Amino acid sequence: GKPVFIRIIKEDRELELWVQEADKSWHLLKIYHIFGMSGELGPKTAEGDEQAPEGFYRVYPHSMNPRSKFHLSFNIGYPNAYDRKLGRTGSFIMVHGDILSIGCFAMTDARIEEIYTMVNEAFKAGEQYVPVQVYPFRMTDERMLKERDSEHFDFWQHLLPGWQHTETSCSPYPDSD
């Protein structure tokens, strides 16, 4: 029943589950390997592009799907307001069970049970939403310098404050969706 947030690093195929303690401090509870994910580094731009998104999202109680065809799932909330402002389209981007996925994040059935339970219990305890941060890679200064010629560099600059905030404060970025 504690507050949680999720951080995904696409290049490493990792989903981090963070938990807030009674003293309001956050700690990384567990890192899960993402078994199935499609696309390349860079944001999702269109329905059917088989690309996993990047950005700041929110899972709401109504986003939980206990009857998913992929065992259990929850919708991360793509597209958010920023994505829609840029004309990006798509829907039903999920964290789910199974090991295969196109555009979503497949965790295996056993792992989604753990993640789903933690998110669901946060809602039962009164959380209004669970933040989800999706990054292309670990956004270190060195890596950002290496990516400066990427077509996605300006977009990644938009994500960088979120990464830096979590790295320095060990808490979710106060995103505005």
Side-chain angles (χ1 to χ4, degrees):
K2 296 178 180 181
V4 296
F5 85 89
I6 292 169
R7 182 166 78 164
I8 295 172
I9 299 103
K10 288 170 47 175
E11 182 175 65
D12 294 345
R13 297 176 73 99
E14 290 181 348
L15 182 148
E16 299 175 349
L17 183 63
W18 293 69
V19 176
Q20 188 178 44
E21 298 301 332
D23 67 1
K24 303 296 182 195
S25 67
W26 290 88
H27 75 274
L28 176 59
L29 178 69
K30 195 166 182 178
I31 299 173
Y32 298 89
H33 175 73
I34 298 169
F35 274 79
M37 183 179 69
S38 63
E40 301 172 354
L41 298 183
K44 179 173 187 60
T45 58
E47 182 84 39
D49 66 4
E50 300 185 0
Q51 182 74 4
E54 296 170 1
F56 306 114
Y57 303 99
R58 293 178 178 177
V59 176
Y60 291 96
H62 69 270
S63 304
M64 305 298 285
N65 184 1
R67 293 183 267 305
S68 171
K69 68 178 182 176
F70 297 106
H71 186 52
L72 296 169
S73 66
F74 54 85
N75 188 329
I76 69 167
Y78 176 90
N80 62 23
Y82 181 79
D83 295 318
R84 288 189 300 273
K85 181 179 174 185
L86 295 176
R88 296 178 179 164
T89 60
S91 57
F92 303 110
I93 303 299
M94 306 284 190
V95 175
H96 61 71
D98 207 340
I99 59 171
L100 300 173
S101 186
I102 298 174
C104 298
F105 304 98
M107 305 306 301
T108 76
D109 290 354
R111 287 182 173 99
I112 194 59
E113 286 180 12
E114 290 179 21
I115 299 163
Y116 186 97
T117 298
M118 294 292 289
V119 170
N120 202 44
E121 290 300 312
F123 291 137
K124 286 181 183 177
E127 289 303 301
Q128 294 180 3
Y129 66 89
V130 170
V132 177
Q133 306 171 0
V134 185
Y135 296 101
F137 46 78
R138 296 186 180 282
M139 301 186 87
T140 63
D141 291 340
E142 298 80 20
R143 183 58 188 271
M144 290 299 289
L145 186 60
K146 181 180 173 185
E147 298 294 339
R148 69 183 176 270
D149 294 328
S150 169
E151 66 181 296
H152 305 299
F153 186 75
D154 288 343
F155 173 69
W156 291 338
Q157 286 287 107
H158 170 77
L159 299 179
L160 185 59
W163 178 268
Q164 291 170 333
H165 177 85
T166 299
E167 287 295 292
T168 58
S169 72
C170 292
S171 66
Y173 186 56
D175 64 340
S176 60
D177 187 40

